Amino acid sequence: MKIAVCIKQVPTREWQPRLNDQKTWVREQDASYEMNEPDAYALEESLRLREQHGGEVVVCSAGPARVQQVIREALARGADRALHVEDDALGAADAFTAAAALEPAMREEQFDLILTGLQSDDQGHAQFGPVLAEKLGVPHSTIIMEVQIDEAAGSLKVKRELEGGWFQYVTMPSPALLTIQSGINQLRYATLKGIMAAKKKEIRKVAPPAGLASRLTVTALYVPQKAKQTVMIGGSPAEAAAELVRRLREEARVL
Amino acid sequence: MILVIAEQRNDKLNRASWEAVVAAQQLAGEGIPVKVAVLGQGVSTAASELAQAEVAEVITVEHEALASYTSDAFVQAAAGLVTATAPAHVVFAHTYQTRDFAPALAARLDRALVTDVIGLKVAEGRPLFARPMFQGKLLADVALGGPAPHLVTVQIGAFRADTVQKGPAPAPVTSATATIDPGTVRQTPEAPFQEAKQAVDLSQAERIVAVGRGIKTQENIAVAQQLADAFGAELAASRPICDNGWLPMERQIGSSGQTVAPKLYVAVGISGAIQHLVGMKGSRTIVAINKDADAPIFEVADYGIAGDLFDVAPALIAELKK
Ligand SMILES: Cc1cc2nc3c(=O)[nH]c(=O)nc-3n(C[C@H](O)[C@H](O)[C@H](O)COP(=O)(O)OP(=O)(O)OC[C@H]3O[C@@H](n4cnc5c(N)ncnc54)[C@H](O)[C@@H]3O)c2cc1C
Ligand SMILES: Nc1ncnc2c1ncn2[C@@H]1O[C@H](COP(=O)(O)O)[C@@H](O)[C@H]1O
């Protein structure tokens, strides 16, 4: 099995985004970065599938040089090698553009299975996977919580999450693309041995195809306005606690 | 013309479809017609329900390959319809089904798609679509480029279904033929199911204390449990807590967990992602405790304490015991 796992580097969740001078994007230079959370689950799933079926796991990422941080991390966790479509302009790329950037190099590799996260923590388009599948001409399924591979039949059976606690099994031929939901497995972290081994693993750098242009233009970025008039309670923890309990008893009458 | 693609299952309309109609009516303004399409097999009830809206036409697209949802069949049917009707925009509700096929449809048509839209405005004659970025910490106004149609999905709950403009008389319902080659539908779906019956029914709880990733470690869940006990509340959680196995899945609140509306909902160390909010924003009184005063959870909270939960929770427990 030749498995691709698409990994995006995103600002850490703790980061308080600050706007650039034009107020059209964040000040990327201020951010610290991490692996997009669902992608970590997709990586773990690819490693488990490799343990069961053999083969290799190839990390695929599009972005500027900084994304090597998450590529190295994925290699340290056990991926075999990496494909990095590198360009400074890809730092703020939307999902459609990122998929277009990765498509030619990924097509060449002829993967049996491609895993992505279901959504990115920064831009959150929830588009990249189905778009890439369509470009590559392979079937896809999204929000996956279980993957079973039948190598003899050349097919896979996956469990899709539906809304409100419902699920559904779907079968499709491989090669295929799946978008992975957080919680599909329990993550394992890199070991020192893994980190050392990662240093020797190959990262193939590829330039993006010519003529990439985003059709989504952010004209303004801003802090959302509050929908509700929230009573913010200040003071020391003890004072805040006393005031909250008083209001819940006397004002809201819920205690 | 603006085309809405509504969603149904077993001829029962997904209520979020009304929200997509509302967004389309807003986007259309005066003079531009809105049409609604329903894809499936046997969709007449859903279609006649949609015909109540002030729209030019309801179009049913029926085919046996659409009887149960697959991305391949829906992309083919929708691509055919969009090509035949040439709308300026195609609007969907951002449901799990839409997430599954709308991006593939956009790629097949090679058109722009903006997802999870929560508001519309017009600037210099072109529509701008507001959507969350960075976990809802920021909103972006997005303009769409390239040839029409532009595809738009709207966040669940962002446009109010009860503001839909109803027509003086039902809109005409017409049918369009779907061109689907069943041999090219690669996914074979099975019937949807629910996991084993849930042991805890949080929808009946009067008070809920919900804990999020701010709790940091599994051991600290005990702090949240003590707080819940002090409130006389059930303990619930955001998704990452259940993903980590720190609390069972059946205690998860949100779009992929339970939907609750207790008298009191106390969110502790939860950021307030939309997928969490949809499961609890109907609660009567919402309290948020978060060390980040700008966390989106405060947007829906009645009472907020911007502070460290490891200071606030013990103080609250002590106060409630008084
Ligand atoms: C298709 C889909 C379905 C989903 N379904 C659900 C669902 O059903 N339910 C759900 O909850 N999520 C769901 N999610 C995930 C959702 O998008 C968010 O990732 C998740 O809700 C975040 O959980 P959190 O708020 O606990 O964590 P985070 O977003 O990491 O927030 C942690 C918060 O804790 C605060 N904090 C940290 N330390 C402290 C401290 N010491 N004191 C006080 N505050 C502190 C931080 O300021 C932060 O706001 C879904 C996502 C997708 C894409
Ligand atoms: N630049 C990128 N490089 C690699 N994978 C990406 C990139 N952008 C998005 N992805 C993948 O696509 C998924 C969904 O992203 P999005 O469509 O932006 O919500 C992510 O979880 C990643 O797996």
Side-chain angles (χ1 to χ4, degrees), chain A residues 13 122 142 222 230 251, chain B residues 100 134 137 141 213 298 303:
Chain A
R13 285 171 169 272
D122 54 353
T142 55
Y222 48 94
T230 306
E251 216 168 66
Chain B
D100 197 59
F134 300 95
K137 287 179 196 151
D141 287 343
R213 208 196 316 248
F298 287 120
Y303 301 103

Side-chain angles (χ1 to χ4, degrees), chain A residues 6-8 36 38-39 60-63 90 94-95 98 102 115-120 122-129:
Chain A
C6 295
I7 294 187
K8 186 175 189 189
N36 187 45
D39 304 5
C60 300
S61 189
L90 291 171
D94 65 66
L102 278 160
L115 303 184
T116 76
L118 83 166
Q119 188 167 320
S120 54
D122 54 353
Q123 298 196 28
H125 295 292
Q127 289 194 35
F128 176 97

Side-chain angles (χ1 to χ4, degrees), chain A residues 11-19 25-26 37 41 96 118-128 130-135 137-143 145 157 159-173 181-186 189 215-234 237-238 240-249 251-255, chain B residues 7 9 69 71-72 75 94-97 99-101 103-104 106-108 110-116 121 126 128 130-147 186-195 207 213 231 239-240 242-245 249 255-257 263-264 271 275 283-287 289 291-294 298-306 311-312 315-316 319-320 322:
Chain A
T12 56
R13 285 171 169 272
E14 305 276 290
W15 184 54
Q16 294 297 341
R18 287 182 40 210
L19 300 179
W25 200 239
V26 292
E37 182 168 55
Y41 286 96
F96 210 96
L118 83 166
Q119 188 167 320
S120 54
D121 283 343
D122 54 353
Q123 298 196 28
H125 295 292
Q127 289 194 35
F128 176 97
V131 168
L132 182 61
E134 178 66 26
K135 285 179 181 290
V138 302
H140 75 270
S141 194
T142 55
I143 322 191
M145 286 297 280
K157 184 174 177 180
K159 185 173 155 192
R160 286 192 68 204
E161 182 180 295
L162 308 174
E163 281 111 336
W166 288 78
F167 297 91
Q168 175 181 42
Y169 281 102
V170 179
T171 311
M172 75 197 85
Q181 168 68 298
S182 295
I184 183 175
N185 47 42
Q186 290 299 312
Y189 292 94
R215 289 174 171 153
L216 268 50
T217 309
V218 176
T219 60
L221 200 60
Y222 48 94
V223 178
Q225 279 196 329
K226 281 190 196 236
K228 237 183 190 176
Q229 205 56 46
T230 306
V231 177
M232 293 302 284
I233 299 172
E243 175 67 3
L244 176 63
V245 170
R246 186 189 70 75
R247 284 180 180 261
L248 291 178
R249 286 205 174 112
E251 216 168 66
R253 297 173 183 278
V254 289
L255 288 181
Chain B
E7 185 172 319
R9 198 161 102 202
Y69 167 80
S71 152
D72 277 346
V75 168
H94 193 59
T95 61
Y96 277 35
Q97 184 167 304
R99 284 164 167 273
D100 197 59
F101 84 95
R108 181 150 321 169
D110 193 16
R111 293 296 182 269
L113 163 64
V114 60
T115 50
D116 216 18
K121 51 187 123 167
R126 66 175 179 174
L128 294 178
R131 68 182 301 278
M133 291 254 193
F134 300 95
Q135 301 282 320
K137 287 179 196 151
L138 296 173
L139 278 181
D141 287 343
V142 178
L144 301 181
R186 296 162 294 186
Q187 299 93 352
T188 312
E190 292 177 21
F193 64 95
Q194 276 184 303
E195 298 289 55
R207 299 184 200 98
R213 208 196 316 248
F231 270 114
R239 180 163 185 131
C242 303
D243 284 349
N244 285 335
M249 283 284 235
S255 59
S256 49
K263 280 197 329 201
L264 175 65
S271 62
Q275 294 87 5
S283 306
R284 206 171 90 199
T285 300
I286 299 172
V287 174
I289 301 167
K291 70 172 183 192
D292 173 10
D294 294 325
F298 287 120
E299 284 163 41
V300 300
D302 299 284
Y303 301 103
I305 298 180
D311 300 329
V312 177
L316 266 173
E319 183 65 30
L320 287 162
K322 270 186 195 165

Side-chain angles (χ1 to χ4, degrees), chain A residues 19 31 40 57 83 107 159 167 180 234:
Chain A
L19 300 179
V57 170
L83 181 67
R107 175 184 294 277
K159 185 173 155 192
F167 297 91
I180 301 296

Side-chain angles (χ1 to χ4, degrees), chain A residues 137-151:
Chain A
V138 302
H140 75 270
S141 194
T142 55
I143 322 191
I144 300 304
M145 286 297 280
E146 185 185 321
V147 184
Q148 300 167 27
I149 294 176
D150 185 341
E151 279 185 284

